[in-house]
Amino acid sequence: ARSGPARMNWGLCRELGAPVPISQEEPQAPSPPELMKALDICAIPRTRAKASLLGLRLTAEGSGTGCADVAVLHLFTTDQQFHAAVSSAWTVASMPNPMQEEVDRMADIDAATSQVAHALRSLPAKKAVCYRACRVPYSKLPSGTLKEVLQGHRHALDCYRPGSVVLWRHAVTATTDAALAEELALRGEPLAGCGIVFKVRRATGARA
């Protein structure tokens, strides 16, 4: 639960440039050896072991979700190192001119990102109102307000104005608890910063 605010904050204020089209094909699950090799790179061993045990237990209990899908979803929500690596890979995939080092890191954990994408697609669709609560440090806000966040960056699809199209380039963490979102935005970390809550209304069914 303590990693939730960090996951909500991840990626906000990053300057990424214009997005490039990403394939909308159904993600294919990698082979177990490929997945294990990728997890060796991007997941904390202790957390990975817990995730594997959870996957095996739920599979034995007749869960409709595959063992690997359960494991990577658990990692994505509990292991900040894994979450950051996968989110970074998705972000790099949408960048027009990423550095070669970033491309290499993305390729190294491709099996993990593919498995997470496959797992997210396996979740049931639902309609809901979600809240992404973020705290932005004053060091990123020269004006001392959220003006820079709301203005966004040129061609990056992150301008928060009425009628704007906004693109978050990774699987963003949010909550359905409005009171929790308000609490995180007002009293979360960093203390020296501004809070903002994004209210996401879903007109169509989506994974949550």
Side-chain angles (χ1 to χ4, degrees), residues 3-189:
S3 67
R7 286 186 280 113
M8 288 191 194
N9 267 326
W10 198 96
L12 192 66
C13 299
R14 293 187 65 179
E15 187 168 0
L16 303 172
V20 299
I22 297 177
S23 173
Q24 297 299 312
E25 295 181 1
E26 287 288 329
Q28 299 296 316
S31 68
E34 291 173 331
L35 178 59
M36 294 304 296
K37 182 178 179 180
L39 293 181
D40 285 340
I41 298 172
C42 60
I44 298 173
R46 177 172 51 84
T47 313
R48 188 181 67 197
K50 291 181 179 179
S52 298
L53 287 174
L54 178 63
L56 291 170
R57 190 188 78 190
L58 292 182
T59 301
E61 292 174 355
S63 169
T65 305
C67 179
D69 285 343
V70 171
V72 296
L73 287 176
H74 181 76
L75 286 171
F76 195 69
T77 54
T78 60
D79 184 336
Q80 292 189 48
Q81 176 179 303
F82 181 77
H83 173 270
V86 172
S87 297
S88 294
W90 281 329
T91 301
V92 169
S94 74
M95 295 170 61
N97 298 299
M99 297 176 61
Q100 186 59 47
E101 181 182 353
E102 295 174 319
V103 174
D104 292 342
R105 283 200 301 265
M106 178 181 69
D108 288 341
I109 65 167
D110 180 66
T113 54
S114 296
Q115 189 71 59
V116 174
H118 183 273
L120 290 173
R121 289 290 184 94
S122 73
L123 296 176
K126 62 182 296 186
K127 293 181 180 179
V129 176
C130 298
Y131 305 89
R132 180 189 182 188
C134 299
R135 293 281 301 177
V136 185
Y138 285 129
S139 60
K140 294 184 178 180
L141 303 171
S143 68
T145 70
L146 291 166
K147 176 182 176 181
E148 290 81 10
V149 175
L150 300 177
Q151 283 182 336
H153 305 91
R154 185 177 176 84
H155 306 309
L157 297 183
D158 61 352
C159 175
Y160 299 96
R161 293 177 180 171
S164 295
V165 175
V166 175
L167 174 66
W168 289 335
R169 307 191 194 190
H170 62 288
V172 172
T173 296
T175 177
T176 56
D177 188 334
L180 174 60
E182 181 179 3
E183 179 71 16
L184 292 174
L186 292 176
R187 301 177 181 84
E189 295 182 354

